[in-house]
Amino acid sequence: MSPTPTLARRFWEAIEPVHAVAYFAPEPAEAARALGLIGWWMGYFAGRLAPLGPVRAPEASALCFAFAPARVARALPDAWAYTTPEKVLDTRLGAVETALSRVLPPVGTRHLEQLTDLLETAVEDCGHEGRALAAAWSGVPRPDGVLGRLWLASTVLREHRGDGHVIAVAHAGLTGLEAGLTHAATGNVPRELLQSTRGWTDAQWETARRRLVAKGLLDRDSRLTRSGGTLRRDLEHATDRLAADPVTRLGAAGVEEAIRLATPLARHLVDRGVIPVPNPIGAPRP
């Protein structure tokens, strides 16, 4: 039996689909192409890292180390020859607002304002020690509209959690690829989906698999061993623990209220197929 999800994990599950519209709705990709960015992945890395400025491939790979460095290097720094981080950020925010206005259920402005206020309050106490992406996105000026504000707050919170996950993985002595293999071994996300979206070759995947077998974390059928299962649970617990700042800021009652308000939005996005499940993020239907 799976352990009861922590409050921090339930909070993430409820708001992640709102952020993930940036990856799965067509409007952000179309906006990136209109700026001259070539291919979906160039738009992805430029859009996600734009608040950091014209970041290069080595730094981008360090921040997004679940992805194969070759995939990152095909996008950056070439993206900055076509446009600027400022233009990418501006068009991304506008495109996401357009997408959310199209795909969110008609819950009413007051519902969205209440949720947005809670998420912006949660952001206020997010520490940025070792969390470059969360720090960068927290410095983006708030948009005027509630949908832009909602997306930006959910983005800061998910990057805060994601940066914490990177810290936990690195502390456990795993590479980004090895962490991906252990994730696939849980059965929550198919190997094919993770490998194809993260850009790892079959040879790279096999080499990492052999390392994990040698470490006693996977068996020869790529299933988690007892030690591997313990490590994976420890990783998730550490990620939840490192995501405690917004939970502490809102308190249990505030987080539960945010979950109550966000869950109908997230379920609508999943049920309408805007956010697929399973997905490489690992976000379930709340």
Side-chain angles (χ1 to χ4, degrees), residues 109-154:
T109 302
R110 182 57 184 156
H111 183 118
L112 296 174
E113 288 176 342
Q114 288 177 320
L115 174 59
T116 299
D117 287 344
L118 284 167
L119 298 190
E120 288 177 341
T121 299
V123 164
E124 291 174 0
D125 275 9
C126 284
H128 299 145
E129 298 82 359
R131 304 183 201 240
L133 278 171
W137 278 103
S138 69
V140 174
R142 287 181 182 177
D144 293 329
V146 66
L147 292 180
R149 290 171 51 210
L150 173 63
W151 184 81
L152 179 59
S154 67

Side-chain angles (χ1 to χ4, degrees), residues 29-266:
E30 291 167 359
R33 285 194 296 270
L35 289 174
L37 299 181
I38 301 171
W40 193 90
W41 286 109
M42 184 176 283
Y44 170 87
F45 288 111
R48 189 175 176 198
L49 301 176
L52 290 160
V55 64
R56 303 178 307 147
E59 294 90 341
S61 292
L63 293 169
C64 305
F65 81 150
F67 291 89
R71 167 149 290 173
V72 180
R74 284 195 292 271
L76 299 175
D78 289 358
W80 314 129
Y82 300 103
T83 187
T84 65
E86 293 78 14
K87 289 181 180 178
V88 170
L89 182 59
D90 184 59
T91 58
R92 190 173 187 80
L93 288 169
V96 169
E97 286 190 59
T98 300
L100 288 174
S101 68
R102 178 178 60 84
V103 300
L104 286 181
V107 294
T109 302
R110 182 57 184 156
H111 183 118
L112 296 174
E113 288 176 342
Q114 288 177 320
L115 174 59
T116 299
D117 287 344
L118 284 167
L119 298 190
E120 288 177 341
T121 299
V123 164
E124 291 174 0
D125 275 9
C126 284
H128 299 145
E129 298 82 359
R131 304 183 201 240
L133 278 171
W137 278 103
S138 69
V140 174
R142 287 181 182 177
D144 293 329
V146 66
L147 292 180
R149 290 171 51 210
L150 173 63
W151 184 81
L152 179 59
S154 67
T155 296
V156 176
L157 291 167
R158 75 91 61 178
E159 295 295 9
H160 178 270
R161 181 184 177 87
D163 286 342
H165 183 66
V166 169
I167 292 169
V169 170
H171 179 71
L174 296 180
T175 67
L177 173 54
E178 290 170 341
L181 265 80
T182 65
H183 192 186
T186 66
N188 293 328
V189 181
R191 167 192 168 170
E192 295 76 14
L193 182 59
L194 273 178
Q195 184 181 349
S196 62
T197 56
R198 297 330 188 204
W200 300 104
T201 66
D202 287 339
Q204 290 169 326
W205 192 274
E206 177 60 18
T207 298
R209 188 193 68 82
R210 290 179 179 177
R211 286 199 303 268
L212 293 177
V213 170
K215 292 178 180 180
L217 300 175
L218 293 182
D219 65 20
R220 296 189 181 278
D221 295 319
S222 298
R223 296 173 301 196
L224 289 170
T225 62
R226 182 182 296 274
S227 295
T230 298
L231 175 64
R232 189 69 213 182
R233 287 189 295 275
D234 288 346
L235 277 177
E236 298 301 334
H237 290 157
T239 300
D240 288 347
R241 178 174 53 81
L242 291 168
D245 286 350
V247 175
T248 301
R249 179 68 173 88
L250 290 179
V255 174
E256 290 288 3
E257 178 65 4
I259 292 171
R260 184 187 71 81
L261 293 167
T263 295
L265 310 184

